[in-house]
Amino acid sequence: MKEIRFRLFLVIGAFALSLYLLYPTYQDYKNNVDVSETLVHLEDSLKESSPNLTPTEIRELITAKKDSILANTPEYRSAREKRIKLGLDLQGGMYLVMEVNTAKLLERLAKDPDEQFFEILKQAEAESQLSDENVVTILARLMQEKNIRLSRYFGSIREDDAQIIARLQEQESDAVTRAIEIIRNRVDQYGVSEPNIQKQGSRRIVIELPGVAREEEAKRLLQGRALLEFRLVKDADFAIPIMNRIDEVLAKSLGIDSAQVADTTQQLTEEEFAKQHPFFAVARLADPQGRIPDAYVKESDKPKLNAYLQREEVKKVMPDNVEFLFDAKPIVGDDGEKYYRMYMVNKTPELTGGVIVDAQANIDPTTSAPVVSMQMNAEGAREWARITGSNIGKRCAIVLDGVVYSAPVIQSKIPSGNSQISGIPNLDEAKLLEIVLKAGALPAPVEIIEQRTVGPSLGQDSIRQGFNSLWLGYTLVAIFMIFYYRKAGTLADIGLIVTVLLILGVLAGFQATLTLPGIAGIVLTMGMAVDANVIIYERIREELNTGKTARAAVDAGYRNSFSAIIDSNITTFFTGIILYQFGSGPIQGFALTLMIGILTSLFSALIVVRMMFDYMLNKGQKINIG
């Protein structure tokens, strides 16, 4: 009786612990229902207040509002953090495959690259898309075929090709590893629960973001390089003569006589002005008097201007140390067109974002506009103090990923290392910018090569169908066990309920992620769980047929079937370990629930059901094996 009492306490303890671990899941489900009820009228109000919104946009806004409430309310957040996590296939979200553009990394590492280098690099990049070889290996092979030493573009003349290849391969691999860590940091700060980020091949990254509804925002978060630079803006006395010279060479190359251009300065029609001043026709000076060298460019004219700047005759008159950059945010003119402000800035930054140690998005109290405040480390603060102190009265452009966010005039020396980015459209954009700055800059651009979106409604359908299959599987197994083994089959069915409860409790306790293949693993476990009972019951039948008493038959049945049960389950468990170790995504979800199911089914068959058998024998009840 003492042995039964110990097992009873053990079973009750496991049962109670599972219920305790599953309570946050129930609480989160109830919170979802409560929040959904409070937002029931939001869809109607959005349709009335914003008739231009599409049904998809309205659903995204409602989902975002619901997620915000559940994530930011303390009592809701606690339950959400401790619940059973749902995978991408069950709650919806985004699936992306991203590739690190290591060719751009090599382009940045190269010293004095020429047309020949860019041609070979382009060929290596194209070939890498069709093979498993990395870009460095292909580039080295192509250069060797052309009898070009790698030291011409990388490293020193004293290094041989093997040394340079080894170093470049290490840098290429390190770039992918760093990209994974930076993306992981960004996703964690963004607040995505149970994301799955894995390396695939040599330079691809698989990302699963369950529950993410705003696709474009997530893509900007993942792809933004966060390459922050502080660049000095050129003064008018330097920039205007260059811009005039560009205009002259363009007019000449397009067939306009330079003397004619000089004579026609007044009363020109738009068409005549565009013919005689092709550069200033698309880049209108912000100040016609030439005191400010900035220009405004129509959004539709940006491709034409970029084509002008790529012409050989323009490159010859453009100094090598300057370039034109555009504002991140356009302004809308009186004609309804979007205009981007264009600056002439130094190509070499005075300071980069590597010195940023903290960033904070907030609202500027003086302008009510969103800004991002940044704090530099000690080295950055010293350098920033030197830069600002020696350039008082000049403008410094704050450039992020090649676009200008603001270009304030340096009023005085800034010794504290504090700086600020303005010109951000809204607070959500400022929050994204804060995240990418704090997480760090990507070592190389990442490109999305595959994207899939699972809608929340599809996820709900998967949950419903998965649990329907779970209940159907349980019902069929339970009916068979009762029909074939009578009262003993009923005990096995009770043990099966305990098995499923323990599986879910373990998943909740370890904050594992439940996926659709995971539900399949639970369904398979139910069949395997009664398999142990079937072996035991058949042995008990054999012992009863030899004339043994019920207690002796039960003891012998459990003792003689123990080794067969353990052997079969151990081999399956090892298979689950292999699947989990070498699989990914859905395969891991299936393997995880399978392994947990094996352990819990053994607990149910050997302890829970055995305890019920012993209790019935102690009470003198008849054992019916069918």
Side-chain angles (χ1 to χ4, degrees):
M1 193 67 183
K2 289 182 179 179
E3 185 180 352
I4 294 178
R5 190 180 298 117
F6 172 75
R7 279 183 286 181
L8 180 62
F9 287 148
L10 183 63
V11 171
I12 292 175
F15 193 82
L17 180 61
S18 296
L19 291 178
Y20 171 76
L21 294 172
L22 287 172
Y23 179 72
T25 302
Y26 164 76
Q27 194 175 26
D28 182 68
Y29 171 78
K30 188 172 180 297
N31 292 340
N32 267 285
V33 174
D34 293 341
V35 173
S36 296
E37 290 176 354
T38 61
L39 297 177
V40 70
H41 300 299
L42 179 60
E43 183 174 354
D44 295 331
S45 61
L46 284 173
K47 288 179 180 178
E48 293 176 4
S49 60
S50 305
N52 295 327
L53 290 175
T54 65
T56 302
E57 290 173 333
I58 291 175
R59 283 196 301 270
E60 288 182 355
L61 287 172
I62 294 174
T63 303
K65 179 69 174 177
K66 180 180 175 181
D67 290 343
S68 176
I69 293 173
L70 291 171
N72 297 321
T73 307
E75 57 269 27
Y76 292 166
R77 185 171 63 245
S78 175
R80 173 148 288 203
E81 289 173 352
K82 297 177 182 178
R83 65 173 181 171
I84 291 180
K85 304 297 188 294
L86 297 179
L88 184 68
D89 50 1
L90 294 183
Q91 65 169 308
M94 292 183 66
Y95 172 90
L96 302 119
V97 178
M98 308 187 77
E99 186 173 79
V100 180
N101 191 337
T102 50
K104 290 291 184 183
L105 175 69
L106 295 177
E107 183 180 321
R108 182 167 57 84
L109 293 174
K111 58 181 183 181
D112 300 325
D114 50 22
E115 289 297 327
Q116 179 179 243
F117 172 81
F118 287 117
E119 182 181 342
I120 298 174
L121 182 62
K122 185 177 180 179
Q123 185 179 347
E125 184 179 8
E127 188 174 330
S128 70
Q129 302 296 328
L130 305 174
S131 69
D132 294 330
E133 279 189 294
N134 56 56
V135 179
V136 172
T137 303
I138 299 172
L139 180 70
R141 174 166 48 78
L142 292 176
M143 285 193 171
Q144 287 171 358
E145 290 174 0
K146 296 180 180 294
N147 294 320
I148 301 173
R149 288 195 62 193
L150 285 172
S151 58
R152 178 172 175 180
Y153 301 108
F154 304 99
S156 66
I157 193 68
R158 295 172 181 168
E159 291 181 294
D160 59 26
D161 284 359
Q163 291 175 305
I164 295 174
I165 290 172
R167 188 178 70 253
L168 290 178
Q169 286 179 335
E170 183 180 352
Q171 289 175 307
E172 184 181 35
S173 176
D174 181 60
V176 178
T177 303
R178 284 171 55 202
I180 292 174
E181 291 305 313
I182 290 169
I183 288 174
R184 194 184 305 278
N185 289 338
R186 291 183 183 182
V187 169
D188 290 343
Q189 293 183 48
Y190 187 60
V192 179
S193 60
E194 64 269 1
N196 181 28
I197 303 172
Q198 295 179 330
K199 183 179 180 181
Q200 185 184 75
S202 61
R203 58 183 180 276
R204 289 186 178 178
I205 306 169
V206 177
I207 304 168
E208 293 182 359
L209 304 176
V212 172
R214 289 176 283 187
E215 298 178 25
E216 292 304 318
E217 184 176 290
K219 286 161 68 175
R220 289 200 305 273
L221 174 76
L222 297 174
Q223 286 187 288
R225 283 197 64 193
L227 182 59
L228 181 67
E229 299 171 317
F230 299 88
R231 302 201 204 180
L232 290 177
V233 180
K234 305 308 290 186
D235 295 330
D237 56 356
F238 179 91
I240 294 296
I242 295 174
M243 295 167 78
N244 284 329
R245 184 63 183 147
I246 292 172
D247 188 60
E248 290 175 10
V249 298
L250 277 174
K252 186 176 180 180
S253 66
L254 295 175
I256 304 297
D257 184 77
S258 59
Q260 184 183 1
V261 172
D263 292 339
T264 56
T265 57
Q266 298 294 329
Q267 298 178 346
L268 294 176
T269 65
E270 285 287 333
E271 186 178 353
E272 291 172 334
F273 186 83
K275 287 181 179 179
Q276 299 181 18
H277 297 279
F279 179 79
F280 289 116
V282 293
R284 301 288 180 137
L285 287 174
D287 178 14
Q289 304 299 322
R291 291 167 296 188
I292 300 175
D294 304 346
Y296 284 101
V297 181
K298 279 185 184 180
E299 186 176 36
S300 57
D301 285 336
K302 285 178 70 176
K304 181 190 285 188
L305 180 63
N306 288 329
Y308 283 161
L309 296 177
Q310 293 301 315
R311 296 173 72 101
E312 289 300 323
E313 61 270 23
V314 174
K315 289 181 179 180
K316 290 178 180 178
V317 299
M318 273 279 290
D320 293 335
N321 61 340
V322 298
E323 64 178 331
F324 289 108
L325 294 180
F326 294 99
D327 252 343
K329 180 183 176 183
I331 61 171
V332 180
D334 297 334
D335 54 358
E337 290 272 1
K338 290 183 179 179
Y339 289 82
Y340 286 86
R341 191 162 185 147
M342 185 179 72
Y343 307 83
M344 183 184 286
V345 299
N346 286 341
K347 269 190 178 180
T348 304
E350 305 299 316
L351 197 63
T352 64
V355 299
I356 302 297
V357 293
D358 193 21
Q360 185 67 46
N362 45 46
I363 299 295
D364 190 335
T366 58
T367 62
S368 298
V371 295
V372 176
S373 302
M374 300 173 291
Q375 177 62 49
M376 302 177 184
N377 58 24
E379 179 184 354
R382 286 194 302 271
E383 193 66 16
W384 188 234
R386 181 191 65 77
I387 294 166
T388 53
S390 58
N391 292 284
I392 294 175
K394 295 183 179 181
R395 289 186 297 166
C396 182
I398 300 175
V399 182
L400 182 70
D401 291 339
V403 294
V404 178
Y405 274 79
S406 57
V409 176
I410 300 173
Q411 303 289 351
S412 60
K413 181 178 180 179
I414 304 175
S416 62
N418 293 323
S419 54
Q420 191 178 82
I421 299 177
S422 57
I424 304 169
N426 51 58
L427 190 57
D428 287 339
E429 292 282 345
K431 289 286 186 183
L432 285 177
L433 186 55
E434 172 195 327
I435 290 172
V436 297
L437 287 176
K438 288 165 73 173
L442 290 169
V446 289
E447 300 166 354
I448 296 175
I449 60 174
E450 183 183 349
Q451 175 186 342
R452 295 199 302 267
T453 303
V454 180
S457 59
L458 183 60
Q460 289 298 323
D461 290 341
S462 298
I463 294 175
R464 184 173 62 255
Q465 292 172 4
F467 278 100
N468 285 343
S469 67
L470 190 65
W471 288 119
L472 179 61
Y474 173 77
T475 302
L476 293 175
V477 171
I479 291 174
F480 170 79
M481 293 298 292
I482 294 173
F483 175 78
Y484 197 76
Y485 291 108
R486 306 300 179 183
K487 187 181 289 186
T490 304
L491 300 183
D493 293 341
I494 295 172
L496 200 54
I497 294 175
V498 174
T499 298
V500 175
L501 183 68
L502 292 177
I503 291 174
L504 297 177
V506 172
L507 288 173
F510 287 97
Q511 296 185 350
T513 300
L514 180 64
T515 61
L516 196 57
I519 295 177
I522 296 176
V523 175
L524 177 62
T525 297
M526 289 193 300
M528 295 175 59
V530 296
D531 181 59
N533 293 108
V534 169
I535 295 174
I536 293 169
Y537 292 169
E538 292 299 325
R539 293 304 303 244
I540 292 175
R541 273 182 177 178
E542 292 175 1
E543 299 297 335
L544 287 172
N545 291 335
T546 62
K548 289 185 178 179
T549 63
R551 181 177 294 278
V554 169
D555 289 341
Y558 271 93
R559 184 175 60 254
N560 294 331
S561 58
F562 183 80
S563 60
I565 293 171
I566 294 298
D567 289 346
S568 62
N569 281 277
I570 282 179
T571 54
T572 309
F573 189 84
F574 283 155
T575 302
I577 292 175
I578 294 170
L579 288 174
Y580 188 84
Q581 181 67 31
F582 297 101
S584 63
I587 295 175
Q588 284 186 326
F590 174 80
L592 180 64
T593 53
L594 180 63
M595 289 187 293
I596 296 172
I598 288 170
L599 297 177
T600 54
S601 66
L602 287 175
F603 177 82
S604 296
L606 301 178
I607 295 180
V608 177
V609 178
R610 176 65 190 273
M611 181 194 70
M612 291 189 286
F613 264 123
D614 289 344
Y615 178 80
M616 292 173 61
L617 291 170
N618 288 337
K619 293 295 183 180
Q621 297 182 18
K622 183 181 179 181
I623 300 296
N624 188 350
I625 306 296

